[in-house]
Amino acid sequence: MEFFKEIKRIQYEGSATQKPLAFRFYNPDEMIAGKTMREQLRFAMSYWHTMCAEGSDMFGVGTIDKRYGTSDPMQQAKNKAYAAFELMDKLGIDYFCFHDRDIAPEGETLAESNARLDEITALLKELMAEHNKKLLWGTANCFGNKRYMHGAGTAPNADVFAFAAAQIKKAIEITVALGGEGYVFWGGREGYETLLNTDMALEQDNMARLMHLAVDYARSIGFTGDFYIEPKPKEPTKHQYDFDASTVLAFLRKYGLDKDFKLNIEANHATLAGHTFQHELCVARTNGAFGSIDANQGDMLLGWDTDQFPTNVYETAMCMYEVLRAGGFTKGGLNFDAKTRRGSNTPEDIFLSYIAGMDAFALGLRMADRIIRDGRIDAFITDRYASYRTGIGKKIVDGSATMEGLEAYALAMGDVTTNTSGKQEYLENVLNGILFGMGGA
Ligand code: XUL
Ligand code: CO
């Protein structure tokens, strides 16, 4: 059965093409910075937005038909899987990501839900082999069902904790069965609405307990992939515990989870936390915790997680600059945690959206490579800290400086006499020159 009959396989046609269903910048086999674009970008399809979400919002019902020709829930799950692989094939996407409940509908009991998952997992395994696709990461949806209204691992009710653990155990098993390279914890409702009813210390201790149990179990059944925490500051709860990259790093270190976990950085979550996307990536990279990316963008004028397809080339360029500086992806990749706008309600819009996002990241990769080969920005940063490579600065860095020695140095100096310009505006124009001019590398 073909679900997207009007769409042929999307080809790279170069930036001059006016054809909507074509890549302008994403040329999968072209080498950029030592690897093919396809290897550098490791694009993944998000099952939840792409195959499941129907465009409903707080004020209205769905606008796009995602029934896949049937109302029977299990048949629908199967058709959804066939459609997913057709879509990935046509877009040339090698990876996908899912929550347990995206691939198979929840049953009346946990046992029934698990049996349904087993059935669909077997189908996905066949389709993956047939279509040569891989699982970037799996996760459990421990936020949608009403049992999780107070959280899952941080719920005040131990029965809820136990149920979440059972659900995560199964999600890990199917991730392993499908050869998944990662497993994500996004703290769905792991946060609070008011401290008037919340024991924050116990809730966070419990979350760490759940993560330790999950890691130990996953390793015991042969999972060699990376675990990720995906930071987000708010939504759905007022305050999410995994606020941002720095908060998550402190949590991981406090509970001894930092060896197993890396970060999955999402652009729109970064901006909700009051940071740039690049800031969050830089925090992850400089702390050896860069793992994977949920690619999307928010709206400057809206304070919520709009999950738009990424098209802002400044953002994708600075993102890929951080990725290249981190040495590229290892087990992670670029998962489009993005959805078409409610008004973009045709299957063709899904393809056009992915093309826009993939082209924006292809451009970002090309630009990041240019920024690095141009070298002016990196050289400026290196020069700016030159004072730490000789004299008193060298002593500070190598640990031989003392408070007395620094005082003697400062007293002899009298006052600081040299402080060179940070040249922000110049550098912003250098960046524009590299991005849009002809003078760059
Ligand atoms: C929610 C979000 C999730 C995670 C996976 O904001 O980003 O879809 O990526 O649970
Ligand atoms: Co996400």
Side-chain angles (χ1 to χ4, degrees), residues 7-12 21-23 89-92 351 355:
I7 314 276
K8 302 277 165 287
R9 202 187 151 117
I10 313 298
Q11 306 289 345
Y12 169 69
L21 289 162
F23 293 118
D89 272 347
K90 288 184 170 172
L91 283 164
F351 284 87
I355 292 168

Side-chain angles (χ1 to χ4, degrees), residues 10 17-24 348 351-352 355-356 359:
I10 313 298
T17 187
Q18 297 208 352
K19 198 168 145 188
L21 289 162
F23 293 118
R24 283 152 183 68
E348 188 194 52
F351 284 87
L352 293 171
I355 292 168
D359 263 345

Side-chain angles (χ1 to χ4, degrees), residues 38 45 49-50 62 64 81 109 140 155 166 169 178 181 366 370-371:
R38 154 191 231 146
M45 180 203 76
H49 286 309
T50 312
I64 182 164
T109 63
K169 174 175 176 286
L178 296 175
E181 298 183 33
R366 291 176 187 278
R370 272 202 214 170
I371 295 167

Side-chain angles (χ1 to χ4, degrees), residues 46 48-49 98-99 137 139-141 143 184-188 230-232 234-236 264 266 269 272 294 296 305 307 335 337:
S46 63
W48 53 103
H49 286 309
F98 64 71
H99 302 83
W137 52 257
T139 189
N141 177 333
F143 46 87
V184 163
F185 279 86
W186 166 62
E230 182 179 321
K232 185 176 184 180
K234 55 189 165 193
E235 200 197 7
N264 181 35
E266 177 162 329
H269 296 180
L272 284 179
D294 269 11
N296 60 18
D305 195 14
D307 283 344
N335 167 48
D337 194 350

